[in-house]
Amino acid sequence: MKLVTAVIKPHKWEEVREALETFGITGMTVTEASGYGRQKGYTEVYRGPEYDVSLVPKIRVEIVTEDEDVKDVVDVVVKSAATGKIGDGKVWVVPVESVVRVRTGETDEAAL
């Protein structure tokens, strides 16, 4: 099993969610996040003065999936989240040793 984590632009969240649901992903964890990479934030003008915003709002999506589905899940996220502009985000994959469904006690693949 693997944990696929994606950090994407907030306005792409619905498109990514719909694409993952179409692929068959029914469960994920989504959190609001903020950060920056090469983008280094942005400048905003509010009522005259100019402000430097160093942390850019993002959405973090986490999906635990079986090994054979990892490449497809990553491809779905990348294609649906891409705008072609700086700040589109990142996707990374890490191994998961075990998963337990709290309600039933099911483990590993049965818990997905």
Side-chain angles (χ1 to χ4, degrees):
M1 289 179 297
K2 304 282 190 211
L3 172 64
V4 178
T5 304
V7 176
I8 61 172
K9 290 182 174 184
H11 74 274
K12 296 299 279 185
W13 157 239
E14 281 300 320
E15 193 174 331
V16 170
R17 183 190 59 78
E18 289 170 5
L20 286 168
E21 284 182 359
T22 299
F23 179 72
I25 300 297
T26 57
M28 63 192 82
T29 301
V30 180
T31 52
E32 292 182 12
S34 57
Y36 71 91
R38 290 183 185 168
Q39 193 174 9
K40 302 283 193 253
Y42 60 95
T43 304
E44 188 172 283
V45 176
Y46 180 71
R47 293 190 178 187
E50 193 172 282
Y51 296 94
D52 285 328
V53 180
S54 59
L55 296 177
V56 180
K58 299 289 182 179
I59 298 290
R60 180 179 174 133
V61 182
E62 296 172 301
I63 305 157
V64 177
T65 188
E66 296 179 25
D67 291 344
E68 58 269 11
D69 292 335
V70 169
K71 184 178 179 340
D72 292 333
V73 169
V74 170
D75 289 344
V76 166
V77 171
V78 169
K79 287 176 184 166
S80 57
T83 66
K85 297 179 181 164
I86 192 166
D88 275 351
K90 296 268 190 294
V91 179
W92 61 91
V93 180
V94 294
V96 173
E97 289 186 27
S98 181
V99 175
V100 178
R101 185 185 312 264
V102 173
R103 179 177 51 88
T104 63
E106 295 171 301
T107 60
D108 300 329
E109 279 80 16
L112 296 181

